[in-house]
Amino acid sequence: MAQRLAYVTGGMGGIGTAICQKLHQDGFKVVAGCGPTRDHAKWIAEQKSKGFTFYASVGNVSDWDSTVEAFKRVKEEHGPVDVLVNNAGITGRSFPTWELEDEDWHRVLAVDLTSVFLCCRAAVRVMLGQGSGRIVNIA
């Protein structure tokens, strides 16, 4: 039986790293999603030194074209996604919340909410074609 593939959005943050590690321990091949500003090579190396083998998917989960391209690359390089964990999330730059600017609020919504819809839509297309799959949304 082929190794199952898990894709974790926001996979290189604190909670994302823990999710990736657990999935790896459970026998999954794990792709960790991250934004373009993340030093993904450093994170991959740090995890490798701890005994984990992960792969990076760099893109913008709040943008449909970027999301489609990410899923396409992952499928070409690693195979179809069996499990999607929507974990990507950000907070605004200002606290308390009432000081949050509109631009920051829209960015939070794009990453924390829109990305879940976009990644689910992209993953479901693959999962329906293969007749199986799982999606876990972290809120």
Side-chain angles (χ1 to χ4, degrees):
M1 184 172 164
Q3 187 177 27
R4 293 176 298 164
L5 178 68
Y7 188 110
V8 181
T9 70
M12 297 182 192
I15 294 171
T17 296
I19 293 168
C20 288
Q21 290 174 346
K22 178 62 175 151
L23 288 166
H24 181 271
Q25 291 167 344
D26 288 347
F28 284 86
K29 183 176 190 178
V30 180
V31 175
C34 68
T37 60
R38 171 73 69 168
D39 186 350
H40 62 279
K42 178 182 176 188
W43 182 85
I44 294 284
E46 289 170 352
Q47 295 306 307
K48 184 78 166 169
S49 73
K50 297 176 183 179
F52 298 101
T53 300
F54 298 131
Y55 304 90
S57 175
V58 180
N60 177 358
V61 290
S62 65
D63 175 78
W64 175 243
D65 292 335
S66 180
T67 300
V68 169
E69 183 60 29
F71 275 84
K72 179 182 172 193
R73 276 192 318 269
V74 167
K75 185 175 182 179
E76 289 170 356
E77 295 173 12
H78 305 287
V81 174
D82 296 294
V83 175
L84 166 65
V85 180
N86 282 308
N87 174 67
I90 61 170
T91 58
R93 292 179 271 184
S94 299
F95 288 98
T97 304
W98 58 84
E99 293 179 5
L100 191 66
E101 297 292 330
D102 289 353
E103 178 182 322
D104 291 329
W105 173 246
H106 291 293
R107 188 168 162 261
V108 168
L109 286 178
V111 174
D112 293 5
L113 184 59
T114 301
S115 71
V116 174
F117 168 72
L118 297 179
C119 289
C120 284
R121 186 167 67 179
V124 164
R125 292 176 180 187
V126 173
M127 292 173 179
L128 285 173
Q130 64 198 27
S132 66
R134 304 287 184 269
I135 297 175
V136 178
N137 296 320
I138 308 294

